[in-house]
Amino acid sequence: SLKYSAHLVVGVIESTEEGLYNCAWHISPRGEVTSYYKRLLYVEDERWARSGADLDYGGHKYPIFEVDGRRATLAICMDMNDDDFIEHCREHQPALIAFPTNWVDQGDEVAPYWAWRLQGLRCHLLAANTYGREGHVTFRGESAVLLSEPPTLLALAPREGDLLVELELPSA
């Protein structure tokens, strides 16, 4: 993060005095770490994780940080289905959404659904999606970079694979 002046988002399980959380860390280029705790839990999360729905991020339900002078936010997996997340995005108009996810494979491509959820916003979604099986759950893969409006898929990894994408964030 420091050497390349990069923002990093890392999915982790974080243990606090209150319990375990499905968490994403945003690490700024200066090395500052913000923990975001998933709000909308999937049934598999409910077996081990606490919801972060009652937590506050500087007066917001989701964290806001700056990337190249533009607003950005975080969501984890099922948070994309949370109307509070969509309202947060409408209110704060992030140019970028960092989205670590373990999207379950239900047989459909996921990027069109994500674009539909973000319709009316002008932002980039960077989705890092798990691929493969864990126990009885199969994950979709298809990590993606998309522009929400107009809906444009800028990059899509096959089920399994890496993406290297250079993009310009929408103007503030």
Side-chain angles (χ1 to χ4, degrees), residues 72-156:
T73 194
L74 276 171
I76 301 171
C77 204
M78 283 289 288
D79 289 332
M80 184 63 72
N81 297 321
D82 184 2
D83 290 338
D84 284 342
F85 173 67
I86 302 304
E87 183 57 35
H88 164 82
C89 290
R90 290 198 195 305
E91 180 180 344
H92 299 287
Q93 296 293 311
L96 175 71
I97 299 170
F99 184 58
T101 182
N102 293 326
W103 207 268
V104 174
D105 189 355
Q106 297 175 316
D108 297 321
E109 294 177 1
V110 292
Y113 174 73
W114 296 334
W116 174 77
R117 285 296 289 164
L118 299 173
Q119 68 186 359
L121 299 170
R122 181 138 173 90
C123 64
H124 284 90
L125 176 74
L126 277 62
N129 198 8
T130 299
Y131 172 73
R133 289 186 62 81
E134 185 176 302
H136 65 279
V137 179
T138 302
F139 299 106
R140 180 70 189 183
E142 296 179 354
S143 293
V145 177
L146 66 88
L147 178 63
S148 63
E149 196 66 38
T152 308
L153 187 60
L154 301 173
L156 178 69

Side-chain angles (χ1 to χ4, degrees), residues 20-57:
L20 297 175
Y21 288 91
N22 187 338
C23 178
W25 289 339
H26 166 248
I27 306 168
S28 77
R30 294 179 303 282
E32 301 160 334
V33 178
T34 300
S35 292
Y36 164 67
Y37 303 124
K38 183 178 179 182
R39 295 174 53 88
L40 189 59
L41 299 181
Y42 185 63
V43 65
E44 298 295 324
D45 293 318
E46 292 173 352
R47 297 177 186 189
W48 61 271
R50 295 176 54 88
S51 169
D54 57 343
L55 300 176
D56 179 89
Y57 300 92

Side-chain angles (χ1 to χ4, degrees), residues 1-11 24-34 63-74 95-100 126 128 164-165 167 169:
S1 177
L2 294 171
K3 181 178 179 181
Y4 296 102
S5 190
H7 292 263
L8 300 176
V9 174
V10 181
W25 289 339
H26 166 248
I27 306 168
S28 77
R30 294 179 303 282
E32 301 160 334
V33 178
T34 300
I64 297 174
F65 54 96
E66 296 285 319
V67 174
D68 294 338
R70 294 184 183 89
R71 211 173 276 133
T73 194
L74 276 171
L96 175 71
I97 299 170
F99 184 58
L126 277 62
L164 179 59
V165 178
L167 59 90
L169 295 177

